[in-house]
Amino acid sequence: MDLLLVRAGLVVLSVALCGGGALCDQQYYSEESLRLPRIYEYDDFRTCRARYTDFVYCVSVVKLHGDGTNELWKNITHLRSNRRNFPHDRLERGLCLNDYHDAVKYNRQTSVFLDKYLTHKIFHQYGLESRTALEACWTRENFARSRTPGEVLFACIVVALFACTMIATRFDLNVGSTGAFVQAFSVRQNLRRLWEAPRPNALPFLDGLRALGTLTILIVHSQLPMIRMPVRNTEHLEAQANHALFPLINSGNTHMIQFFFTLGGIVFALSCLAHFERSPTFKLMYFAEKLLRRLVRLLPPYALIIFYQATWYKRVKQGPLEYKFNDYCTEHWWTNLLFINNYVLPTKPCLQFGWYLGADLQLFLIGSLLLTVLWMNPAARKTLVRAMVAAALLIPGYVIYAASTEATMSFDMRHALAELRTYDHFLKYYLPSHTNISGYFFGMIAAMYYRSIDFTHPLEHIRAMLHKRLNLSLIALFGLNAFTTLLPFVHIDKHNSTFNATYGSLLKCSWGCSYSLLFLVLALQGKSLFVNLLSHPAMQFFAKISYCVYIVQYSVIYGLYTNFPVPITYGAFNLLILTSAIFLLTLVSALLLYLAVEAPFSQLGNRCVTFLLQTRTTAQERESKQEKQW
C-alpha cells in the first residue's frame, strides 16, 4: 500500500510541480531570455478552414543560425546546451497562407514562399539568419478524399458487431440465454460476468491492484503527449524538467511498468503451481492450452484496434498536429499481431504503448519454460530460484554495460519530442523483454513462496518476517531512486561503465522485489479495509476491462490531442480537462470493446479450444484402447 501511495503522490507531484504554476513562477528566465523567439506560433486552423473556400494551411520548422556577436544567439546557445530544455534554435510555425499571400494554391512554390517569408520575418524581429523546412500542408482536398476499401471494411465489421450484440441481447431478454451465440454476445450476460466474484482460490486483491495500476498508467499516458504539443508557455515545462525533484519523478514514471510485470509473474505462477499440485504428472499440452486461451482473449480486440489505426485514425487526426503523431499500423501491423513489436521496428511502431503486450507474452513463454523445469523436477525449486535471482540481477546489468547506455532513463527534451524513438536507452533497455525479467521473475518467486506456506500453522512469524523484508526493500528502493536526483551532476562515462551496469540493475530490481514483497504482505494480511476495498466487485469489474483500457487508450489519447486547438497554455486546468476527457472516453470505449469483442470472442474461442482438446483426448483414448486390443 505504501508503494501505491508513493507512486500516486509522484504522479500528482509531477502535475503540481508546474501545472499549478507555483514553481513555474521562479525566475528561470532572465530578462534577456524573455525576448527569445517563441518556439511555437500557430494560426488557428479551424478559422482558416472555415474562412477560405480554398484554404492552404502549412506547418514549417525554422532552424536558426547565429554568431557569437549576437547576444540573443548567446542566450539561445546557453539554453539549448541543457538538454532538459527545448531546442530554442528550432521553431515551429503554423500559417494560414491565405492570410499572407493572394491567390494561394498549394504547389511546389509553397515551400519557397514560406522560406522567404519566415526567413525575412525572423531576421526583421531578431536579427538571426534561418532556414525553413516545410513539414506538411493541408487543403480542402485532404478532407474530401473518398473512403478506402479498408475504411469501408472496418465500418462493416463494426456494424456487424453492433448487430450481433443487439440481436443476442434482445433474444436473451425475450427468450433466455440459450445457445453459444446468445451467451457470447448478449450484453446482459457479459455485464453479469463482469460483476461476478473472482474464483474462490484466487487472490482477489491482485485484480484490485491491477485496476489501480491501470488507472495510474492511463492518467500518466494522458499527460505525456502534452510535452509534444505547441504550448505558449514552454518556459513552464522547462522549469518543471529542471526542478531538483524531477529526476526522482521521472524514475518513478520509468519503472512504473515493473508493477505490471511483477503482477503478471505472480498471477501466472500461482495458477500454474496450483495446477501442479492437483496434477503432478507433467503434460506439455497444459502450457499450450494456456497460450491458446491467452491468444484467444488478446488477439480479437487487439486486431480490431490495429485495423482502426490503419484506416480511420488517419482521418481522425487530420490537422496541423498530424505529422507529430505518426502511427505505422498500415505498414507494421504484423509486428504487433506476432507480439514482436518491442524488438522489430521499434522506431516506427504501430500503437506505441503496444510494446508491453509483446514483452509480456515473451515473458509468459520464458516463465512457461522455467515452470516446466519445476513441474518435471520439483526438487530443483531452490536451484531454479537462485538462477532466476542471478538472471534478474545480471542480465539487465550486462545489457547496460555492453550497449554503453545510461543506468536509467534520463530526461532529454529532444528525445521526448521524438516520442523516445531516437533514445538509445529506451530502445535497447526499456522495451526488450530480457531486460524486464527482474519484475516478472520476482513475481514468480513470490508465488512459489506463497504456495509453499503451511496455512495450518500460525502465520505471525511469517508476517513479521515479510514486513521486515518489505521495509528493508522500501529503504533500498527510495535510496536508489533518490540517487537519481544526483545523476545530472555526476559525470560518468557511459562506455562499458561498471557503475552504470550495477546501479541500473539494482534500481530496476528494487522495484520488482518491493512489489513482490508487497503482494505477499497483502496476501497474508488477512481481512483489512484496504484488502476488502481491493477485492470489491467494482475493482474486479474494472480489472476485467483493464486490457481493453490499455489497448484503446492510444487511439483516444492521440485522437483527442490531435484535434485540440493550438497553441494551448500548459497548466493544471488544461491538464485536468484533457485527463478527465481522456479518462471518460477511454472507459466508455473500453467497455464497448469488451462487450462487443473481447468477451464474445473469448467465450467462443475458449469453447473451440475446449472442443479441440476434448477431440484430441478422445482420439488418444481410442488409440490407447486399440493398442491394448492388439
Side-chain angles (χ1 to χ4, degrees):
M1 181 176 179
D2 295 336
L3 271 177
L4 291 171
L5 291 175
V6 168
R7 193 169 66 179
L10 289 175
V11 174
V12 173
L13 182 59
S14 68
V15 178
L17 278 179
C18 205
L23 293 174
C24 294
D25 292 337
Q26 299 175 3
Q27 294 299 318
Y28 180 70
Y29 279 91
S30 64
E31 290 186 11
E32 180 67 25
S33 57
L34 287 174
R35 294 193 290 271
L36 288 168
R38 284 188 177 274
I39 294 176
Y40 302 107
E41 286 185 2
Y42 277 73
D43 294 340
D44 189 81
F45 178 76
R46 295 177 183 177
T47 301
C48 180
R49 185 181 172 188
R51 181 181 298 171
Y52 301 104
T53 303
D54 296 322
F55 78 94
V56 178
Y57 190 101
C58 296
V59 174
S60 297
V61 173
V62 181
K63 180 72 174 177
L64 301 179
H65 303 280
D67 55 61
T69 61
N70 188 303
E71 292 298 321
L72 187 59
W73 179 251
K74 291 180 182 178
N75 233 327
I76 291 174
T77 303
H78 172 70
L79 286 170
R80 73 173 183 175
S81 64
N82 179 0
R83 298 188 68 84
R84 295 193 196 182
N85 294 334
F86 284 92
H88 283 265
D89 59 340
R90 187 178 181 275
L91 314 178
E92 286 185 20
R93 296 294 181 261
L95 301 176
C96 179
L97 266 61
N98 307 72
D99 293 336
Y100 304 91
H101 189 54
D102 294 333
V104 169
K105 187 176 261 187
Y106 176 51
N107 52 37
R108 68 183 64 182
Q109 297 300 318
T110 301
S111 59
V112 177
F113 164 74
L114 284 169
D115 184 53
K116 289 182 179 179
Y117 172 77
L118 290 173
T119 300
H120 178 267
K121 183 179 179 181
I122 294 296
F123 184 81
H124 177 73
Q125 287 181 312
Y126 307 106
L128 295 173
E129 299 290 342
S130 62
R131 185 178 69 253
T132 302
L134 179 63
E135 286 289 344
C137 286
W138 294 266
T139 64
R140 193 161 300 279
E141 284 72 23
N142 293 92
F143 296 86
R145 292 173 181 168
S146 59
R147 300 285 181 257
T148 65
E151 291 171 340
V152 173
L153 179 58
F154 179 84
C156 291
I157 292 174
V158 171
V159 170
L161 290 171
F162 178 77
C164 287
T165 56
M166 291 300 99
I167 292 171
T169 304
R170 184 181 180 85
F171 197 90
D172 182 31
L173 293 173
N174 294 333
V175 180
S177 58
T178 58
F181 173 80
V182 174
Q183 289 185 359
F185 280 94
S186 171
V187 172
R188 185 177 75 164
Q189 294 297 323
N190 288 325
L191 285 175
R192 180 181 59 79
R193 294 186 189 100
L194 272 176
W195 200 259
E196 279 181 348
R199 291 172 308 215
N201 294 330
L203 294 176
F205 73 87
L206 290 177
D207 283 335
L209 290 174
R210 185 188 303 278
L212 291 180
T214 303
L215 283 171
T216 306
I217 286 286
L218 178 57
I219 291 171
V220 171
H221 284 175
S222 298
Q223 298 173 7
L224 288 180
M226 179 63 78
I227 203 167
R228 306 185 64 242
M229 293 287 285
V231 296
R232 295 184 180 90
N233 52 335
T234 53
E235 65 275 11
H236 287 191
L237 275 167
E238 289 182 338
Q240 175 177 324
N242 283 276
H243 193 272
L245 290 179
F246 188 79
L248 179 62
I249 297 165
N250 189 54
S251 178
N253 180 50
T254 298
H255 295 96
M256 190 181 303
I257 200 66
Q258 296 307 311
F259 168 81
F260 289 95
F261 286 134
T262 310
L263 184 64
I266 191 172
V267 169
F268 174 59
L270 282 174
S271 173
C272 292
L273 293 172
H275 177 80
F276 297 169
E277 292 176 6
R278 295 191 300 267
S279 305
T281 305
F282 172 74
K283 292 182 179 180
L284 183 60
M285 279 304 298
Y286 170 75
F287 290 108
E289 180 185 352
K290 289 189 79 69
L291 177 61
L292 281 174
R293 295 189 187 277
R294 188 184 185 95
L295 293 176
V296 158
R297 183 178 70 87
L298 296 182
L299 279 176
Y302 198 27
L304 185 69
I305 294 299
I306 291 171
F307 195 13
Y308 164 80
Q309 289 293 127
T311 54
W312 284 91
Y313 173 67
K314 294 180 179 180
R315 291 187 181 273
V316 171
K317 70 170 184 172
Q318 282 182 313
L321 302 181
E322 181 178 343
Y323 77 100
K324 283 178 171 286
F325 297 96
N326 286 329
D327 186 89
Y328 298 91
C329 284
T330 306
E331 303 91 350
H332 303 154
W333 54 270
W334 55 275
T335 63
N336 293 66
L337 294 182
L338 293 176
F339 295 96
I340 56 174
N341 51 317
N342 59 325
Y343 284 103
V344 179
L345 300 169
T347 59
K348 295 182 178 180
C350 164
L351 292 172
Q352 176 130 344
F353 303 153
W355 73 268
Y356 164 77
L357 300 176
D360 184 60
L361 184 68
Q362 293 153 18
L363 290 171
F364 167 85
L365 296 175
I366 294 171
S368 298
L369 290 175
L370 295 174
L371 290 175
T372 297
V373 174
L374 182 62
W375 196 2
M376 297 176 67
N377 186 11
R381 181 188 297 263
K382 290 185 178 180
T383 303
L384 183 63
V385 168
R386 293 191 187 101
M388 291 168 69
V389 172
L393 289 168
L394 295 177
I395 292 179
Y398 173 77
V399 172
I400 292 174
Y401 182 85
S404 298
T405 69
E406 298 162 317
T408 185
M409 195 181 297
S410 60
F411 183 82
D412 186 319
M413 190 68 75
R414 291 157 182 80
H415 291 150
L417 293 173
E419 291 187 288
L420 303 179
R421 296 175 185 180
T422 59
Y423 192 10
D424 202 46
H425 181 91
F426 178 76
L427 300 174
K428 294 181 179 179
Y429 188 72
Y430 189 79
L431 299 184
S433 57
H434 63 276
T435 56
N436 286 292
I437 60 171
S438 55
Y440 204 86
F441 280 8
F442 281 119
M444 292 178 63
I445 292 169
M448 294 179 196
Y449 180 80
Y450 179 79
R451 298 300 302 185
S452 68
I453 295 174
D454 185 359
F455 288 92
T456 61
H457 292 79
L459 302 177
E460 285 76 11
H461 174 71
I462 296 177
R463 291 190 185 117
M465 180 268 294
L466 288 175
H467 273 285
K468 183 178 179 180
R469 293 190 178 182
L470 177 61
N471 291 333
L472 291 173
S473 179
L474 288 175
I475 292 172
L477 174 75
F478 290 128
L480 289 166
N481 281 272
F483 186 75
T484 59
T485 60
L486 302 178
L487 285 179
F489 310 103
V490 179
H491 300 288
I492 302 170
D493 185 8
K494 293 190 298 183
H495 183 68
N496 299 137
S497 172
T498 305
F499 173 82
N500 278 348
T502 305
Y503 173 67
S505 179
L506 291 175
L507 179 62
K508 178 167 281 191
C509 285
S510 68
W511 287 91
C513 182
S514 298
Y515 281 132
S516 61
L517 287 169
L518 174 66
F519 298 159
L520 286 173
V521 167
L522 292 176
L524 300 178
Q525 187 171 341
K527 292 184 178 180
S528 70
L529 180 62
F530 183 59
V531 172
N532 290 339
L533 178 64
L534 291 175
S535 305
H536 192 273
M539 301 296 281
Q540 309 296 320
F541 181 99
F542 189 83
K544 289 175 183 176
I545 66 168
S546 61
Y547 171 64
C548 286
V549 168
Y550 190 82
I551 62 174
V552 83
Q553 62 171 323
Y554 180 96
S555 302
V556 174
I557 292 171
Y558 281 26
L560 194 60
Y561 269 97
T562 51
N563 284 277
F564 209 81
V566 292
I568 63 175
T569 301
Y570 175 72
F573 180 74
N574 280 337
L575 279 177
L576 179 63
I577 293 296
L578 277 167
T579 303
S580 301
I582 289 168
F583 184 82
L584 291 175
L585 287 173
T586 301
L587 289 188
V588 172
S589 302
L591 181 59
L592 293 175
L593 185 64
Y594 177 87
L595 294 174
V597 183
E598 182 184 347
F601 284 92
S602 180
Q603 290 284 320
L604 296 175
N606 282 323
R607 283 175 179 266
C608 291
V609 172
T610 301
F611 174 77
L612 290 173
L613 292 174
Q614 289 176 347
T615 303
R616 181 179 180 274
T617 302
T618 304
Q620 288 178 339
E621 291 175 351
R622 189 182 300 114
E623 290 176 2
S624 178
K625 288 180 180 179
Q626 291 176 349
E627 288 178 0
K628 289 180 180 179
Q629 291 175 356
W630 282 101

